[in-house]
Amino acid sequence: MGSMTTATEPVRSIDPRTGEVVETVAEQTDAETVARLCAAAVEATARLAAMSFADRAEMLEAMAAALEGDRERLVDIADRESALGRPRLDGEVTRTATQLRLFAAVLRDGAFAEATIDHATDASPDLRRMLIGLGPVSVFGASNFPFAFSAAGGDTASALAAGCAVIVKAHGAHPALDAAVVALLRDAAGRTAAGEDAVSVVYGREAGTAVVADARIRAVGFTGSERAGRMLMDLAAARPEPIPVYAEMGSLNPLVVTPGSAERGAEIAATIADSVLLGGGQFCTKPGLVFLPEGAAGDAVVSALVERIGASDAIHLLSIDIRDTFMKGAAAVAASADAAALVTPSAGTGSAATPALNEVAVASLFGADELIAECFGPAALVVRYGTIAQVVDVIDRLPASLTLSVFAEDAESDAVAAIAAAATERVGRIILNGVSTGVAVNWAQQHGGPYPAASSAMHTSVGATAIRRFLRPVAYQSFTDALLPPALQESNPLGIPRRVDGRLEVNG
Amino acid sequence: MGSMTTATEPVRSIDPRTGEVVETVAEQTDAETVARLCAAAVEATARLAAMSFADRAEMLEAMAAALEGDRERLVDIADRESALGRPRLDGEVTRTATQLRLFAAVLRDGAFAEATIDHATDASPDLRRMLIGLGPVSVFGASNFPFAFSAAGGDTASALAAGCAVIVKAHGAHPALDAAVVALLRDAAGRTAAGEDAVSVVYGREAGTAVVADARIRAVGFTGSERAGRMLMDLAAARPEPIPVYAEMGSLNPLVVTPGSAERGAEIAATIADSVLLGGGQFCTKPGLVFLPEGAAGDAVVSALVERIGASDAIHLLSIDIRDTFMKGAAAVAASADAAALVTPSAGTGSAATPALNEVAVASLFGADELIAECFGPAALVVRYGTIAQVVDVIDRLPASLTLSVFAEDAESDAVAAIAAAATERVGRIILNGVSTGVAVNWAQQHGGPYPAASSAMHTSVGATAIRRFLRPVAYQSFTDALLPPALQESNPLGIPRRVDGRLEVNG
């Protein structure tokens, strides 16, 4: 949601490095325009649904090429609005294009449609089932990934792949970038049968909630805070016809260093510190809780963390608001009775801040709400534990997360198994001897988790299966071949994987 | 929900043919017991999750055998509580056993787990993803299918297959049967590693809602009225951690006879009438709106319908309450300004009633709310239309349904295509030259639809993919083989279909 403007102010683009307004991007979208865009999205969805999988794949690839073709200008805008720096943003453009191309590959593969044929038997008629697009989708991007989780990000790419038109709510922290990206997407879509209304954009918080409330919208993709995500979930659940909200809402991402691996503490500490500081700590996969053993080996890891995190320069965060919230959160942790401040942050010019590191004993972790709340930004809380059983108990009781990481030696497989068993119930991705930042865009990715990491534990917002969020099944009984969609015609003209009479068949 | 008892009355089994209380089944389950059963379901879920797919399959097959082994006694109880008659109930036991065995086949096939492996590359670490059970599930069965959509029905079978323990809310219309069925399921589960708490039962409305509200419950399966389904949806959405409710809530099931096919009206009329009357019209797939062309051919179909439906004996409905609601609903349609009564129902002894048939012109269909409300029981509303365009317009505007049927000649493919295109947006299953009653239990079945036919358009409550409702993904990054679940180990020890480095591989 992000926009702090009132209902009548225009939408302004602000430079977080200075706090200055650089430009006015647009007026807030009025109710009449919202209604018109929703109607246009219904029409565009019908055209997307009528396109072949291959044509939709080409459209996504054209969108990827359009982003890459305008890379310099887009990175300029994004850097001015996010302060994330050109190298990171340049990489994010590549990642976003890769993501669009992954969904093109998903379409060409065709298994996503789950085409299933049961031929007639003595007991039952011919029945054929496939997944089709759910309908127009509302997308709310994130401040921390202005490309990859925003207007052209995974929600938009997977929704378009599914055959659903998208209405983007421009993010208050990067409205100029969203405007520029949506213009490119509309242009690319306009050169296909889908037409440019396959993607549109609205500005302002009221317009965003009006889109979610509109009866023509069939699903919502959201990346951001738990507060805003839950607000959208409640709004969608209260509609006359409730719709799913796929909200990815951030996470504590526990990271455990076992007693054995603490022996190689210096190397692990460097890895952890870099992960905490990456992108200003503004990743939903940032390791926020670092479990280190009591005793000398753990002490050495703590010292190494303090040294590396304490040596960090000030970092410009995404906005001055985010910096202020970060400073408040880190101070609240440091001030709680049982915690100790290891590195104390300080605010700099504009949105800048230096990192924070605090420490608490495992027995005191649940003593104060701030200790188990996400602190968005370059901060982590070290938790000192005595036994693996204590760590397992804490994992059971912590709010659910996107990820959990464990550093361990080969000989500690019992400890890893115990931690992984507990984590399987509470997170979406479990990492052995690695950190949670760095989310590959591929077929096996899982970026989600039980509530409150995500609105629903059943889906992912990254990776090929993210398309499943925007699909619904339909079955055709006793249809003649010519009246069936190509995916279900007897000869398998698309050559896609299908389940026929109970057997999964690949290579048509 | 169904139970009409207050919070302190015991749960009684009533014979709908007489309205008499036959026995007291149980006390309503108190809050303490609900909490104990939820805790036991968590433990049982952990044991189910640890079982191999093959062991879970054997458990489901043992449950199927247990139902069939006690068929006579179960059919006796079910007939006394539902008045559905022994032949239908005997067939339903077979269907229910078949359903349990289908999910055993789903488990042995293994594709449901969506095992996906992306080996490490220069850019990304080894990542492996699969679907696992969501956690304990609350199941609310239906009055109209005391076996197939109740304690041992599709929700329970698919949840157990997914590795989720089930807490059944005994239905107020057949509590004695639910008690008997759950006892058999517990006995079968008790002979496996899952233990008998894999399935348990609660009695009374308050206990049912207490289970849904319990933090340990992760999903709800429901079959019944829109009012009760929406109540559970709202309850689940308002939890601190919202959970999905899979509610299948009934439907109008439009049926269209094209001008061409009206020529073979006598045959089609017999098929339609039998479908309307089947099981006392108490199917969620009963064709409730029958679109017939204006003119002589349509008139002949109407006459044939009137003759066959008017000749029906009185039928004992599932309960006296259901009969009374049916009579009220049919009378409200007949009384609306633009409708005409073709067959007027009358109430008989106990829960008995004769069928109802009413007629309205297509232009008046949206003139009164009763005309587009489901009338549960042996009733249909004939809608006379002038053009296929009128029918398509109505399909667009009707509440969503589970099914739509169209009877047409080969030469009318344009009409069928137009109707099917509209129906694809509004229903889960489209039938050509057949009726919607009769829902095969197989791989391609789709029993669901957009709201209010179901809580979510994205799933089915019948057929192999019903298991997807109770699964969530988890990914393992850089894990050693021995620490991975068998489904994800490198050698594919289960021999299940997997996607490896982007390629779908069958036969391991």
Side-chain angles (χ1 to χ4, degrees):
Chain A
M1 310 297 290
S3 167
M4 301 306 285
T5 55
T6 67
T8 51
E9 284 177 48
V11 176
R12 300 186 174 99
S13 175
I14 295 166
D15 186 334
R17 292 187 177 95
T18 63
E20 298 298 317
V21 172
V22 177
E23 61 173 315
T24 293
V25 178
E27 296 300 311
Q28 295 196 40
T29 307
D30 61 28
E32 202 177 322
T33 308
V34 166
R36 186 173 52 73
L37 293 175
C38 289
V42 170
E43 300 295 319
T45 297
R47 292 191 298 268
L48 282 163
M51 286 166 74
S52 69
F53 296 171
D55 285 349
R56 289 215 293 267
E58 277 178 31
M59 180 186 75
L60 294 175
E61 287 164 341
M63 289 174 170
L67 290 179
E68 291 183 328
D70 220 353
R71 180 190 290 269
E72 294 302 312
R73 185 177 68 94
L74 296 176
V75 167
D76 279 346
I77 302 171
D79 186 43
R80 180 172 56 64
E81 289 194 308
S82 73
L84 283 169
R86 294 189 55 92
R88 144 70 194 273
L89 290 163
D90 188 70
E92 201 181 318
V93 171
T94 303
R95 176 196 178 85
T96 306
T98 299
Q99 192 157 250
L100 286 158
R101 293 193 180 104
L102 173 66
F103 287 107
V106 167
L107 284 165
R108 291 211 172 83
D109 173 89
F112 79 94
E114 297 184 11
T116 304
I117 296 173
D118 283 322
H119 288 107
T121 68
D122 291 347
S124 60
D126 186 277
L127 190 63
R128 295 166 189 244
R129 180 188 199 262
M130 68 179 290
L131 303 184
I132 63 171
L134 196 53
V137 172
S138 163
V139 169
F140 292 74
S143 58
N144 58 340
F145 279 91
F147 292 106
F149 287 83
S150 290
D155 288 347
T156 296
S158 56
L160 290 173
C164 304
V166 169
I167 301 180
V168 173
K169 152 69 173 61
H171 198 287
H174 52 71
L177 180 66
D178 283 340
V181 169
V182 169
L184 288 173
L185 299 181
R186 286 177 64 84
D187 183 58
R191 281 179 274 113
T192 74
E196 58 183 12
D197 288 330
V199 187
S200 57
V201 61
V202 298
Y203 298 92
R205 184 186 299 225
E206 285 189 17
T209 54
V211 173
V212 173
D214 192 286
R216 289 162 288 204
I217 299 300
R218 297 297 180 192
V220 179
F222 168 87
T223 311
S225 71
E226 183 180 338
R227 190 188 51 75
R230 181 64 187 251
M231 191 273 283
L232 291 179
M233 289 171 68
D234 291 344
L235 179 61
R239 286 168 41 128
E241 298 188 10
I243 55 174
V245 173
Y246 304 108
E248 191 260 273
M249 301 184 287
S251 159
L252 291 169
N253 302 303
L255 181 155
V256 184
V257 178
T258 62
S261 65
E263 300 297 328
R264 51 180 167 114
E267 172 205 333
I268 292 174
T271 303
I272 296 171
D274 291 352
S275 180
V276 170
L277 299 179
L278 193 68
Q282 301 166 117
F283 284 159
C284 40
T285 53
K286 178 200 72 177
L289 287 182
V290 179
F291 291 82
L292 300 176
E294 295 164 358
D299 290 346
V301 181
V302 173
S303 298
L305 282 175
V306 168
E307 190 176 343
R308 198 165 181 112
I309 288 175
S312 169
D313 290 335
I315 306 161
H316 277 103
L317 301 187
L318 291 160
S319 73
I320 292 172
D321 283 343
I322 283 175
R323 192 271 317 278
D324 292 345
T325 304
F326 160 72
M327 294 290 293
K328 233 178 284 176
V333 172
S336 79
D338 299 299
L342 300 176
V343 177
T344 301
S346 59
T349 60
S351 67
T354 59
L357 189 67
N358 294 295
E359 183 178 13
V360 69
V362 68
S364 302
L365 181 59
F366 293 96
D369 287 349
E370 306 83 56
L371 300 177
I372 55 167
E374 181 181 12
C375 184
F376 190 77
L381 176 62
V382 170
V383 184
R384 302 300 295 273
Y385 69 86
T387 65
I388 293 295
Q390 286 176 323
V391 174
V392 168
D393 174 64
V394 166
I395 294 169
D396 282 342
R397 294 159 65 200
L398 280 175
S401 276
L402 296 167
T403 72
L404 179 140
S405 307
V406 53
F407 285 85
E409 299 302 290
D410 288 349
E412 297 178 300
S413 62
D414 287 354
V416 176
I419 290 167
T424 295
E425 301 299 309
R426 305 297 292 150
V427 312
R429 180 166 55 107
I430 309 169
I431 301 123
L432 185 57
N433 287 315
V435 286
S436 42
T437 46
V439 180
V441 176
N442 54 19
W443 293 83
Q445 190 52 267
Q446 174 55 25
H447 191 65
Y451 188 92
S455 52
S456 157
M458 302 176 66
H459 296 280
T460 180
S461 63
V462 180
T465 58
I467 194 175
R468 185 63 182 86
R469 300 175 298 165
F470 304 115
L471 295 168
R472 56 172 274 256
V474 62
Y476 300 88
Q477 183 174 314
S478 303
F479 263 54
T480 47
D481 217 48
L483 286 165
L484 285 166
L488 295 178
Q489 290 172 3
E490 188 64 19
S491 68
N492 194 7
L494 304 183
I496 62 175
R498 309 200 294 191
R499 187 175 286 274
V500 180
D501 297 330
R503 262 189 73 85
L504 190 57
E505 296 180 354
V506 180
N507 303 323
Chain B
M1 312 295 291
S3 166
M4 301 306 283
T5 56
T6 67
T8 52
E9 286 178 46
V11 176
R12 300 187 174 98
S13 174
I14 294 167
D15 185 334
R17 292 187 178 95
T18 63
E20 299 297 317
V21 173
V22 176
E23 62 173 312
T24 295
V25 177
E27 296 300 311
Q28 294 195 40
T29 307
D30 60 30
E32 202 177 321
T33 307
V34 165
R36 186 173 52 73
L37 293 176
C38 290
V42 170
E43 300 295 319
T45 296
R47 293 190 298 269
L48 282 163
M51 287 165 73
S52 69
F53 297 172
D55 286 349
R56 290 215 293 265
E58 278 179 30
M59 181 186 75
L60 295 175
E61 288 164 340
M63 289 173 168
L67 290 179
E68 292 182 326
D70 220 352
R71 179 190 290 270
E72 294 302 312
R73 184 176 68 93
L74 296 176
V75 168
D76 280 347
I77 301 172
D79 186 45
R80 180 172 55 64
E81 289 194 308
S82 72
L84 283 169
R86 295 187 57 92
R88 144 73 194 272
L89 291 164
D90 189 71
E92 200 181 320
V93 170
T94 302
R95 176 195 178 86
T96 306
T98 299
Q99 191 157 250
L100 287 158
R101 293 193 180 103
L102 174 66
F103 288 106
V106 167
L107 284 165
R108 291 212 172 83
D109 174 87
F112 79 95
E114 296 184 13
T116 304
I117 296 172
D118 283 322
H119 288 108
T121 69
D122 291 347
S124 61
D126 185 277
L127 190 63
R128 296 166 190 244
R129 180 189 201 260
M130 67 180 289
L131 303 184
I132 64 171
L134 195 53
V137 172
S138 163
V139 169
F140 293 75
S143 59
N144 58 340
F145 279 92
F147 292 106
F149 287 83
S150 291
D155 288 347
T156 296
S158 56
L160 290 172
C164 304
V166 168
I167 301 180
V168 173
K169 153 70 171 62
H171 199 287
H174 53 71
L177 180 66
D178 282 340
V181 169
V182 170
L184 288 174
L185 299 182
R186 286 176 64 84
D187 184 58
R191 281 177 274 113
T192 74
E196 60 183 11
D197 289 330
V199 186
S200 57
V201 62
V202 298
Y203 298 92
R205 183 186 300 224
E206 285 189 18
T209 54
V211 172
V212 174
D214 191 286
R216 289 162 288 204
I217 299 300
R218 297 298 179 193
V220 179
F222 169 87
T223 310
S225 72
E226 183 181 340
R227 188 188 53 76
R230 181 64 188 249
M231 192 274 285
L232 291 179
M233 290 171 67
D234 291 344
L235 180 61
R239 287 170 40 129
E241 299 187 12
I243 56 174
V245 173
Y246 303 108
E248 190 259 274
M249 300 184 289
S251 159
L252 291 170
N253 303 302
L255 181 154
V256 184
V257 178
T258 61
S261 64
E263 301 297 326
R264 51 180 167 115
E267 172 207 334
I268 291 173
T271 303
I272 295 171
D274 292 352
S275 180
V276 170
L277 299 178
L278 192 68
Q282 302 166 116
F283 283 158
C284 38
T285 53
K286 178 200 72 178
L289 286 183
V290 179
F291 290 82
L292 300 176
E294 295 164 359
D299 290 346
V301 181
V302 172
S303 298
L305 282 175
V306 168
E307 190 176 341
R308 198 167 179 108
I309 289 176
S312 169
D313 291 335
I315 306 161
H316 277 101
L317 301 188
L318 291 158
S319 72
I320 291 171
D321 283 344
I322 283 175
R323 192 271 316 279
D324 292 345
T325 304
F326 159 72
M327 294 291 293
K328 234 179 283 178
V333 172
S336 80
D338 298 298
L342 300 177
V343 177
T344 301
S346 58
T349 60
S351 67
T354 59
L357 189 68
N358 293 295
E359 183 178 15
V360 69
V362 69
S364 303
L365 181 59
F366 293 94
D369 286 350
E370 305 84 56
L371 300 177
I372 55 167
E374 181 182 8
C375 183
F376 190 76
L381 177 62
V382 169
V383 184
R384 302 300 293 273
Y385 70 86
T387 65
I388 293 296
Q390 286 176 322
V391 174
V392 167
D393 174 64
V394 167
I395 294 169
D396 282 341
R397 296 158 63 199
L398 280 175
S401 277
L402 296 167
T403 72
L404 180 141
S405 307
V406 53
F407 284 85
E409 298 302 289
D410 288 349
E412 297 178 301
S413 62
D414 286 354
V416 175
I419 291 167
T424 295
E425 300 299 308
R426 305 297 293 151
V427 312
R429 179 166 56 105
I430 309 169
I431 301 123
L432 185 57
N433 287 315
V435 285
S436 41
T437 47
V439 181
V441 176
N442 54 19
W443 293 83
Q445 190 52 266
Q446 174 55 25
H447 191 65
Y451 188 93
S455 52
S456 156
M458 301 176 65
H459 297 280
T460 179
S461 64
V462 179
T465 59
I467 194 175
R468 185 63 183 85
R469 301 175 298 166
F470 304 116
L471 295 168
R472 56 172 273 256
V474 62
Y476 301 88
Q477 183 175 314
S478 304
F479 263 54
T480 47
D481 217 48
L483 286 166
L484 285 166
L488 295 177
Q489 289 172 4
E490 188 64 19
S491 68
N492 193 8
L494 304 182
I496 61 176
R498 308 199 297 189
R499 187 175 287 275
V500 180
D501 297 331
R503 262 188 74 84
L504 190 57
E505 297 181 353
V506 180
N507 302 325

